[in-house]
Amino acid sequence: MNDENRISLAGVIGLPVAHSRSPQLHNYWLGKYGIRGHYVPLNVKHGDLEDAIGTLPKLGFVGVNVTIPHKETVLWLADLVTDRAALIGAANTLIFRSDGKLHADNTDGYGFVENLRQNAPNWIPASGPTAVLGSGGAARAVVASLVEIGVPEIRISNRTRGRADALRSEFGARVRVFEWLQAGKMMAGAKLVVNATSLGMEGRPDFQVPLAALSPDTVVNDLVYTPLRTPLLQYAAKLGCVTVDGLGMLLYQAAPAFERWFNTRPDVDEETRRVLLG
Ligand code: NAP
């Protein structure tokens, strides 16, 4: 097939994937830049993962995003793993290279940092401590990025203490672990607070971490984006904090993947946000 007739395919593999907003976003970008291609959600069971990844390039796929529960497993199947994916211990982007090699990357940390750079431009990473709530997959990407961009002290608290301790042993002495019942105290003097738990998300338990120690000069970022204005962000905005919602991270993590697959760097702007909000 010559290049003019080529239709490039990409998608997201996970279980379930029906809730994913990535198809809306990537298909919007494909249309906007006049690229002949489609992005589709692909339900893949654990036992079928290796077969699916072996077959997709033969069907015209240039790559896929990876979501729960396959983010860690795909690292074992990849021929090349970027340093940031190895550090985080998970991949969210696969590239099917023309030489047949499978390349695994993780763009969540990039999305997290770029969202802050764009929406809290006055936050200086080296200016003081960051407090992170949670120690799941998203928190791992957040902590790896905070270490990389020079945050001097990263305070972590998680309901299951062992997962926070594991982050400390992996990411080193800049990480301080607080008991979950003391999580509110982490916020005293923090320049940035990040909610990387699912608390406050629609259908999940309410966000109940005490916020009395939060000060108006703290930037507050919630990774939860359903709802967009979470109770944490509403409280922080009333206090006078700069607040950053989770939708931007979702947008910015998608841009480098799209560029790798379709050789075009997409814009992230207000229109893109509107597309994602449906
Ligand atoms: P995950 O690996 O399942 O981790 C969930 C985290 O939430 C863990 O720290 C867990 O604590 C904590 N948690 C869950 N229920 C809790 C409860 N009742 N009380 C206290 N802590 C609780 O999920 P994830 O992938 O890290 O995602 C975390 C959140 O970030 C989700 O809301 C997700 O939608 C959001 N996210 C957003 C983006 C974005 O682009 N904006 C990207 C990734 C994730 P335990 O360890 O104790 O279970």
Side-chain angles (χ1 to χ4, degrees):
M1 202 191 300
N2 68 33
D3 258 14
E4 279 157 43
N5 294 326
R6 188 186 154 93
I7 297 179
S8 298
L9 301 173
V12 50
I13 57 174
L15 196 72
V17 284
H19 67 283
S20 172
R21 297 187 186 200
S22 297
Q24 269 161 268
L25 177 62
H26 287 277
N27 284 320
Y28 163 73
W29 278 333
L30 286 167
K32 177 174 175 179
Y33 296 106
I35 298 167
R36 282 165 61 85
H38 297 286
Y39 182 107
V40 290
L42 298 161
N43 261 303
V44 176
K45 290 192 215 117
H46 188 71
D48 296 335
L49 183 64
E50 191 164 358
D51 279 351
I53 284 175
T55 305
L56 289 171
K58 297 176 199 156
L59 300 176
F61 279 77
V62 289
V64 284
N65 283 128
V66 185
T67 186
I68 291 169
H70 303 312
K71 282 180 145 188
E72 288 86 19
T73 320
V74 290
L75 287 186
W76 299 101
L77 303 174
D79 301 298
L80 295 139
V81 176
T82 59
D83 288 349
R84 55 191 182 177
L87 196 64
I88 294 166
N92 73 341
T93 304
L94 297 180
I95 298 128
F96 303 136
R97 292 181 10 164
S98 50
D99 62 3
K101 295 242 190 298
L102 178 64
H103 187 163
D105 193 7
N106 194 315
T107 62
D108 278 339
Y110 168 82
F112 163 70
V113 172
E114 197 55 26
N115 189 27
L116 286 169
R117 286 205 173 118
Q118 298 298 328
N119 295 302
N122 294 328
W123 172 64
I124 299 165
S127 64
T130 290
V132 180
L133 297 157
S135 296
R140 292 185 73 83
V142 165
V143 172
S145 305
L146 293 171
V147 169
E148 196 182 331
I149 62 176
V151 171
E153 181 185 330
I154 301 154
R155 303 170 179 172
I156 304 181
S157 188
N158 192 52
R159 176 181 61 175
T160 308
R161 162 102 195 201
R163 294 180 90 187
D165 288 337
L167 283 176
R168 188 186 184 288
S169 46
E170 281 176 59
F171 291 100
R174 271 193 271 167
V175 175
R176 270 180 72 194
V177 176
F178 284 62
E179 283 297 334
W180 182 239
L181 290 176
Q182 305 288 318
K185 293 195 175 157
M186 295 199 294
M187 299 186 195
K191 297 295 176 199
L192 171 69
V193 169
V194 182
N195 176 35
T197 71
S198 48
L199 293 174
M201 189 174 164
E202 274 163 18
R204 298 294 173 93
D206 292 342
F207 184 93
Q208 284 181 334
V209 177
L211 296 170
L214 200 59
S215 98
D217 67 357
T218 306
V219 174
V220 178
N221 175 208
D222 203 331
L223 301 198
V224 170
Y225 54 84
T226 49
L228 199 56
R229 302 305 296 166
T230 60
L232 166 64
L233 293 186
Q234 288 180 34
Y235 177 94
K238 262 195 209 145
L239 192 67
C241 302
V242 170
T243 60
V244 180
D245 66 49
L247 197 68
M249 175 170 167
L250 191 68
L251 286 166
Y252 285 108
Q253 62 79 29
F258 186 91
E259 183 178 19
R260 291 298 301 266
W261 300 329
F262 302 113
N263 297 317
T264 303
R265 183 71 169 197
D267 284 336
V268 173
D269 52 18
E270 263 313 305
E271 181 57 26
T272 330
R273 272 178 74 87
R274 273 197 287 278
V275 166
L276 213 53
L277 288 169

